[in-house]
Amino acid sequence: MMFGLEVRNVAVAYKGKSAIRGVSFKAGAGEIIGFIGADGAGKSSLMHAIAGVGRFSGEIVYGGETYRSPAEAEKLKQDIGLMPQGIGLVLYETLTVGEHLEFFASIRNLKRTDAFRTYRNKLLEMAGLSAFVDREAGKLSGGMMQKLSLICTLLHRPKLLILDEPTTGVDPLSRRELWEILDDIRKSEGTIILVSTAYMQEAAKMDRVYLFDSGEIIAGGSAEQLIDSVREYTYTEIPCSEKQRCFSFDKRSYSLAPLDVPHAEPTLEALFFVNALKKGYAMPKMELEARESDAPIPDIVLEAKALTKRFGEFVANDRIDMQLRAGEIVGLLGANGAGKTTFIKMLLGLYAMDGGELLLLGKPIRSGEDRRTLKAKIGYVSQHFALYKDMTVRENLLYFAQMHRIETKKALVRIRKYAEALGYRAYLDALPASLPLGINQRFSITAALLHEPVILFLDEPTSGVDTIARAQFWEIMELLKEKWGITILITTHYMSEAEYCDRVVLFKEGVKVADATVETLYKEHPEAADFEEIFMEYYR
Amino acid sequence: MRLGVVKAYILKEFAELFRTRLIVMVYLMPTMIMLLFGFGIRMNVTHARVTILDYDQSHYSRVLTSKFEDSKYFDPMVLQITEQEALRLIKQAKTEMILIIPSSFEKHLLHGQKSEIGLFIDASFPTRATTMENYVQGVILQAASEVSPQKPQSGMISINSRNLFNEAMRDENAIVPGLIGLVLLVAPAILSALLIVKEKERGTIFNFYASPIRKHEFLLAKLTPAFLLHSVNIFILFLWATWLFDVPFRGSFMLYWFSSEIYILISLGIGMLISVITRSQIAAVVLTVIVTLLPGFLYSGIILPISAMDHESYIEAHLFPVMYFNHIIYDTFLIGEGLSAATNRLYLGILVVYAVILLVLGTLFLKKELK
Amino acid sequence: MRIFWTIVAKELISFMRSWGLLAVVLYSFTLDVYIAGAGMQIKPRNVAVGYVDETGGGISQKILSHLHGPEFVQPKRFLSQKALSEAIFNKKILVGILFDRDFEKDYREGREAVMNVLLDATAASQSFTTLGYLQNIVMDFNKVDFPVALKAHKLFNQNADNHTFMALSEMLSIITMLSILLPAMVFVREKEEGTWDIMLLMPIDTKVTILAKSFSQVLIIFAGTVICTGFVLFGSFDMPMNGSFWAFLLLTFFYIFTSAGIGLFVASVSKSILQVAQLSMIIMMPMIFLSGAWTPIHAMHPVLEKLSLISPLRYYIEGCESIFYRGTQWSDLWPYFTGVILLGSVLYWYGFRKIGKLF
């Protein structure tokens, strides 16, 4: 073993609350180690401890040196590279790509030799940023920011690379490119790479995976070993009845007790469900009553005709046509910066249109008055579930109800009903910031549904949310479609989720490149094994 | 110390300062404070609006009235209205004083009888009221001694007063040097606090945490831009003071310059300590303003000379660096004793000690890890 | 209307829960105003006097005995003129008096006796008043019977007490500062926290949102003003109230709304709370310094005097002084009300257009 990493009995506590309890593991040169688990399970805390930026107890041995505190880790920092969680977190908005590389090389005191320049250019090339050396970081797309952060972290050839959710919120294309860079580096440099991720397909490619739950590692091993451990609980999908303790998601059902259906090949996602079942966590049964309003929803709810948006010279959306029908879930896919969010904001009336026409329920939207009618009929869940953080969940919801002129009494009844149906009743009087992302997601959805809109827009509602919460999310979407018959437009970076959509629309550089059902797309691309490959076809 | 590392950080700070337009604040704020305070604060009374009710309309009453008209301190209005109407003018804030010359003024004077002149002052602005009263008294006494037939019998004491340092008793001379002390305390502190807290708020502080860069290198890199940029302000403020406000400069420019640079270091140290305990930029700004602006103003000597302070404020004033710096600054502008005076040497030494202590404390308290 | 109150309630809840902000506001309206009022007396107090007496006492000591507390500290004797000047140069004393050898003799023999006074003119106000004080003492000595006497009445504030004035000025400055900052922050916080889109998506008239959000902050500042007036001004400083308290409240209410309009302007051009802080500072400082709280407006440079016409604080401060001290009647207060309301209307008209466009 050239350079080994050994973590011995490491614990981290914040303000008396324990984030990580007695974690130990080992890693060897050239290995990629994956950390998976729900948010708040302690992955980040452990990574900060190993990178020597946070206090911990226990000891960490790396390259023959032992450290027990950030101060002791100081001498190893030349060999360590850390990329903390958050898109573009370590970047300076006003500095260009080139200036970033220059800066990161300087603070590591790197010699500007020819070898360095070759390596720098190679990294730029791999990240696809060679053409953007003079662009300011603040003007890059999310995917590009993450690639830039990664190559900045790689510039000093760290022997121990720690990446905290580098791919969350990043499109499949950039994700694939990111992984290509990593794979290349670990082969050529023998780097130990620790990565946490929310994408199980990524985790499956790693050498070893550790599953975190409430501050502990509850399972570890190669992806095959882990998958083997849950094979016996995985079945082909059946609707779970209330009596059975089982979960269904992504064409599979999970149950500890035997089911009368054939087994299915599990993925790493199965780990989460089986763990939840073993811990006796019951997935609350999602239920939804029919809309209270009985106004019929016409077939075509919203129609965009040649919608165009420009920011200066840059055309963000170029003559996009789209029809949204009642009772339909439409998935809007595309790389970061392809114009998805801009398009949704135009549909919402948040951005003025630079061309084209928008029709709601057959009526064109032109005046401010039209826009207000539009706003009363749509629901919107923004990226990161922005809600008022100084108000409790109940107060937030009540506020939204009032703003939509729903009577207080009626609103309170509805809020209770939704909280029960979506399973977050226990959290009604908590402040949003103290809740897991999955709960925030569900109550953001409630806030968008209280006034019974005819269309619901969701911008990356599943980014950063753990697997079980995602499973529940899609269950809610299905219910909405069935019971309410409303239109749902959703953006996501999980290609597996595209299969839950009735129709998929693909954007590339502000232009619509595909608009068809998932089946049609599979037919058009017979060689594709999964939807991600179809997606890649369009971006090749 | 690896200079290449520090240099890269410094260049980055400069690039950010310029591109985020924060640089505008660096130069706009000090100048603005200087101009506003310099033009805005007047301890002397000028243009006091006095309404004169001349019920006598005689030669002597006109002599008195003309004394007011000739004075630069007063804007008199001679009106023929009743006292009631005049009082209403005061209530409407259209005049500040009413001077009533009684109808028998001249007659009494000629008969050697004492006559009484009434004065009503709007004391809503108390300091100004007191000063105005003194001025009016002065004008009347002067007028009286001119027309008075009497000569003193016994010996007479007269006062021969000399206004040291500020012969013309200009407000500018008294206030503007003190403003330099205020500005150079507040502005660099805000900037240095922001530079560090900004990285904490954004998350880029990880670049410092996770890299082998040392604490003193990081601080040097953060403080140098603020130091250099504000060093330019030393000259700008000097220019405003001597050119725009016409304050004399009698001491050594080198002493002014050197002590100002030390003083900026103190200010940077305060900002650095604040950035260690705060997490958001807004909190850093608010805290810096509370910690520096109020004491900087109260203990500057602008409002009240330190020697005239009550016991507690006297001690507090000695705890803040403002007092020592201002002593030197006033000396360089108005007195010119320079380093030949023991107090100046002592105070300069105290400033150096302050700077060293603050910078050392900042380095000790800054932790290279997440809180 | 219900929506209006919903927004107001929401903003009030948010305010109450952000304890840092709450603490700053409470501090500003209580302790800060108290410190400003209690702390500094601009009237000469504890003036340090030094003297050199070469006469051997007598008249000189009699004169010095008039210099006593609270205005003066016990005069300090120096042995030589050099020591006296040095003390002034080092700011140990503000005033130096020199009685030379001939002083007493001249006086007794009926000649003009000159007493030399050295003043540290860097503390202009104190020196000047001290000089006036000395002149009065000397006048008594001269026993000159002037045929004219001045009988002065200080109206509204007989003792020329500075405490109430300083406290009032500070309170008005605080009101100005907060009523610009808080409303601006209410809007910009939505931008920073990402709820801006959600706010825009509510099917509500822009004007209602803008008015309700401003109104909520107006309420907070108004409550702070009432607390401050009651506990600090009246409670600690015996503030006179010669006019109508209701007139003060009404004028305050309008004024806060108008300043909130400035906050609205700040919010419409800022992207982050930090920008709000910077911009507010640039707007606020001229406002406070050109308001007449420090120097009466008509004593300013004519350009500044004209400029101050567009500062609502100018009308408000003079109005408040009139109400508290001068006891001006309602019918004579109209210029202040007009000034404040007029400026407010212009600001809101602009705010509606500028922020309203974004909806």
Side-chain angles (χ1 to χ4, degrees), chain A residues 20 22 43 53 57 60 88 102 137 160 171 220 222 246 278 303 314 318 320 324 403 414 416 441 501 513:
Chain A
I20 276 285
K43 304 181 300 262
V53 300
S57 65
I60 298 170
E102 198 51 36
L160 173 59
D171 63 74
S222 68
C246 101
K278 281 185 177 159
E303 188 171 8
F314 177 67
D318 193 10
I320 290 175
L324 296 174
M403 296 303 274
R414 274 195 203 174
R416 213 182 44 240
Q441 175 216 49
C501 302
V513 290

Side-chain angles (χ1 to χ4, degrees), chain B residues 159-209:
Chain B
I159 293 181
N160 170 29
S161 70
R162 267 181 63 207
N163 301 324
L164 297 172
F165 322 135
N166 183 7
E167 291 73 11
M169 292 296 257
R170 294 176 69 233
D171 272 332
E172 288 90 339
N173 297 7
I175 290 168
V176 169
L179 287 179
I180 298 180
L182 179 66
V183 169
L184 291 184
L185 182 70
V186 180
I190 292 184
L191 185 62
S192 73
L194 278 183
L195 287 184
I196 301 177
V197 176
K198 190 179 62 190
E199 299 230 6
K200 280 200 207 174
E201 202 176 76
R202 276 278 295 139
T204 43
I205 193 80
F206 270 107
N207 295 336
F208 163 55
Y209 290 157

Side-chain angles (χ1 to χ4, degrees), chain A residues 442-462:
Chain A
R442 268 179 265 163
F443 107 76
S444 296
I445 295 171
T446 313
L449 288 179
L450 278 170
H451 59 291
E452 305 195 328
V454 294
I455 320 175
L456 184 60
F457 295 96
L458 304 112
D459 202 359
E460 289 188 30
T462 50

Side-chain angles (χ1 to χ4, degrees), chain B residues 234 253-264 325 348 352:
Chain B
I234 298 178
F253 186 78
M254 287 309 282
L255 177 64
Y256 164 75
W257 186 21
F258 180 70
S259 49
S260 299
E261 297 283 16
I262 299 287
Y263 193 57
I264 288 183
F325 179 66
L348 190 61
V352 172

